[in-house]
Amino acid sequence: MNVRAQIAMVMNLDKCIGCHTCSVTCKNVWTNRAGAEYMWWNNVETRPGPGYPRQWENQNRYNGGWALDGGRLKLKIEITKNYKPPSMEDYYHPWTYDYEVLFSEKQSDQQPVARPISLIDGESMDVTYGPNWNDDLAGADLILEDPGLDGLQKEIYQQFKDVFMMYLPRICNHCLNPSCLAACPRKAIYKREEDGIVLVDQNRCRGYRYCVAACPYKKVYYNWKTGKSEKCVFCYPRIEAGQPTVCSLTCVGKIRYLGVLLYDADKVLDVAATPEVSQLVKRFIDEVLLDPYDPAVVSVAKESGIPDDWIKAAQRSPVYKMVKKWKVAFPLRPEFRTLPMVFYVPPLSPVVTTFERAYGAKITDIMPKVNELRIPIKYLANMFTGGDTMLIEQALKKLLAVRIYERAKNVAEPGLADKAKVALAEAGLTEADAEEMYRLFAIARYEDRFVIPTNPKRYAANPYVERGVAGLP
């Protein structure tokens, strides 16, 4: 066992309101400069939809991520053969407006108009697409471009009565097995030993863009001004000081949680090479991610030089509780085999009417059937569990059970408390679990959502050590 520590994130999609505050604050802090106009290190997509860049999930188009070759992992891109980074059109041509004309236009009977101009060359242009072009348009033709609807009848979900939507915030996943790192011939991309954050060394980068093509999430960008690749840095200067990332701090819905996860580096490649994608998520959570309360894990962690305050932070981590303990948060698109360290709590979707109608029955009856859910379980499974609908159903049952339990505490209805206990038992939760889940998901304080130890560099022997194919020494 080779115990490592990493700062990880969970996003609760049930609370995301799609306000884009996270995107705007990230933009103002990190990419508000020439060459980075089209970069959104943090973006919020309306799903179903094409995403940003367009159809980023379609690896038949981009060849990102990992594939199995005789049971062994290999990059899907072959540098000289099928190198397909997104074009500017796949993102969007960034623009502003010619506001000067509003002040300089000669007086006339017509209202002056500030027309769009390119942020790259300053020429006039027509706006045809943007990073949030399909905001709140879940029923538009653009949903046909969503690979998450594979296995579902896409045309049905274009009809008004069957329309559903959700918001999906995305940042770099700072993966345990990053394909961007493995694809870089300059070894300019490295995974920090002290906290797992994946960064691009701007001094080594030569702008070959192999990392852009290799990242299946398309969260590495090419700066046309500097000729270098750039990506989300997980606000590492703030993390080092024990402060949350800017996107987490400014999130209006308080959907983001940060904490330490302990993992077994020796298991990374073996689990990433799991033949059945539906089993990959289970193995990732059960075998790679470790229990910080396990005495054997704690002992090896200390031998590896992980400080006591980091181990204690891992035990208090909201990410550990949601991902490992309760199993209600899952990685995005695990079939890319990068083992992301950003996790998502799937949305319950508007099921209140169904819940009220079946209230008091067993939780298996309260849990809506797939055709009753506004957001199909199959769609969520395609996105978060490699198609394993059982994991999604179990997570949603736990979230519903907590709602039943809290309702029983606050609504005077005969027999409700007993029914709540039955619901918790069927979901595999204790009353203590329900109380803690309620505190974290509904009324969490700052110090509960962000458990970030400070000064991680003190125990990193060499944070710039040359990395292997899995981003590990």
Side-chain angles (χ1 to χ4, degrees):
M1 183 164 45
N2 183 4
V3 179
R4 299 297 179 90
Q6 175 154 346
I7 302 292
M9 180 184 288
V10 165
M11 302 191 209
N12 182 4
L13 299 185
D14 216 28
K15 297 173 68 177
C16 182
I17 62 175
C19 65
H20 299 280
T21 303
C22 51
S23 300
V24 172
T25 51
C26 175
K27 185 73 175 173
N28 284 328
V29 171
W30 294 109
T31 61
N32 189 17
R33 49 194 161 77
E37 298 91 347
Y38 77 101
M39 295 184 196
W40 293 89
W41 290 0
N42 183 112
N43 72 292
V44 182
E45 302 170 0
T46 295
R47 307 306 298 265
Y52 169 78
R54 201 160 184 155
Q55 282 196 298
W56 61 268
E57 295 161 286
N58 186 355
Q59 300 313 318
N60 291 328
R61 176 176 180 176
Y62 293 121
N63 292 323
W66 300 88
L68 290 181
D69 182 12
R72 295 178 63 86
L73 285 172
K74 73 167 186 177
L75 286 174
K76 289 191 72 174
I77 69 161
E78 298 176 25
I79 303 301
T80 59
K81 296 179 181 178
N82 57 358
Y83 165 64
K84 297 179 180 178
S87 65
M88 183 64 77
E89 288 69 31
D90 293 318
Y91 296 100
Y92 73 105
H93 195 105
W95 77 90
T96 185
Y97 294 93
D98 186 10
Y99 296 110
E100 180 62 29
V101 72
L102 300 179
F103 302 97
S104 61
E105 192 78 358
K106 294 181 180 179
Q107 186 173 355
S108 69
D109 294 334
Q110 301 294 324
Q111 181 78 13
V113 176
R115 301 194 178 281
I117 56 175
S118 168
L119 274 172
I120 295 178
D121 56 22
E123 299 295 325
S124 297
M125 59 173 285
D126 293 324
V127 177
T128 58
Y129 194 68
N132 298 305
W133 199 251
N134 66 317
D135 249 8
D136 302 333
L137 296 179
D141 291 340
L142 290 173
I143 73 167
L144 298 179
E145 298 185 30
D146 189 339
L149 287 170
D150 291 347
L152 298 169
Q153 294 173 285
K154 296 184 180 183
E155 292 75 11
I156 289 179
Y157 294 106
Q158 286 183 287
Q159 301 176 36
F160 180 76
K161 68 183 182 67
D162 294 307
V163 164
F164 71 92
M165 61 169 283
M166 56 180 277
Y167 297 112
L168 180 69
R170 294 204 305 120
I171 64 171
C172 169
N173 291 293
H174 298 275
C175 308
L176 296 186
N177 185 33
S179 53
C180 61
L181 182 153
C184 180
R186 288 280 303 170
K187 298 182 179 179
I189 300 182
Y190 60 98
K191 187 173 180 67
R192 299 211 313 182
E193 186 177 1
E194 60 269 31
D195 53 20
I197 296 174
V198 178
L199 298 176
V200 181
D201 186 340
Q202 295 292 294
N203 292 323
R204 293 189 64 87
C205 179
R206 294 295 180 268
Y208 297 147
R209 285 174 273 186
Y210 298 140
C211 55
V212 178
C215 174
Y217 303 95
K218 295 297 171 275
K219 278 299 176 182
V220 186
Y221 302 88
Y222 176 72
N223 187 312
W224 59 267
K225 181 81 171 180
T226 64
K228 311 275 188 181
S229 291
E230 298 182 10
K231 59 180 288 298
C232 159
V233 297
F234 216 66
C235 294
Y236 71 88
R238 296 178 57 85
I239 293 293
E240 290 175 0
Q243 298 177 358
T245 61
V246 170
C247 60
S248 301
L249 181 66
T250 59
C251 175
V252 173
K254 295 181 171 60
I255 76 164
R256 301 187 187 222
Y257 302 80
L258 291 166
V260 177
L261 281 180
L262 300 182
Y263 67 93
D264 186 355
D266 289 342
K267 287 279 189 178
V268 168
L269 289 180
D270 177 55
V271 170
T274 301
E276 293 294 330
V277 175
S278 60
Q279 297 298 313
L280 196 153
V281 174
K282 289 181 181 178
R283 292 195 65 198
F284 180 25
I285 295 173
D286 294 340
E287 299 179 32
V288 176
L289 304 182
L290 301 173
D291 183 353
Y293 290 96
D294 185 336
V297 171
V298 172
S299 175
V300 176
K302 290 182 177 181
E303 290 175 5
S304 301
I306 298 177
D308 288 342
D309 59 337
W310 274 67
I311 296 172
K312 291 177 181 177
Q315 294 172 343
R316 292 181 49 233
S317 169
V319 178
Y320 157 71
K321 294 171 185 175
M322 295 178 187
V323 177
K324 179 76 173 177
K325 182 180 179 181
W326 300 322
K327 292 182 172 62
V328 295
F330 308 102
L332 179 63
R333 287 291 179 177
E335 65 270 24
F336 299 154
R337 303 179 184 276
T338 61
L339 304 189
M341 292 298 270
V342 174
F343 302 87
Y344 295 85
V345 177
L348 270 172
S349 74
V351 296
V352 175
T353 303
T354 304
F355 171 77
E356 294 289 350
R357 188 167 61 242
Y359 195 78
K362 290 184 177 180
I363 193 169
T364 50
D365 296 324
I366 291 173
M367 182 65 195
K369 297 187 176 79
V370 172
N371 60 357
E372 291 176 334
L373 270 173
R374 200 65 174 173
I375 302 177
I377 287 181
K378 177 64 175 175
Y379 181 77
L380 296 175
N382 286 346
M383 191 173 295
F384 300 118
T385 61
D388 188 343
T389 56
M390 186 61 68
L391 284 178
I392 297 293
E393 288 186 15
Q394 289 171 348
L396 296 181
K397 285 179 182 180
K398 290 175 182 178
L399 298 175
L400 279 172
V402 173
R403 292 191 179 189
I404 297 169
Y405 175 78
E406 288 299 322
R407 182 184 176 102
K409 288 172 54 180
N410 295 283
V411 176
E413 184 176 323
L416 199 54
D418 293 334
K419 293 172 183 177
K421 290 180 181 179
V422 172
L424 289 178
E426 291 181 356
L429 298 174
T430 65
E431 290 190 31
D433 287 332
E435 293 282 3
E436 193 168 13
M437 287 178 73
Y438 173 69
R439 284 197 300 270
L440 268 182
F441 286 120
I443 56 174
R445 298 172 299 179
Y446 177 97
E447 59 268 25
D448 296 325
R449 289 188 294 126
F450 308 129
V451 182
I452 310 167
T454 58
N455 196 19
K457 287 187 177 179
R458 70 182 182 186
Y459 77 89
N462 181 4
Y464 297 98
V465 67
E466 189 172 295
R467 298 302 199 255
V469 72
L472 303 164

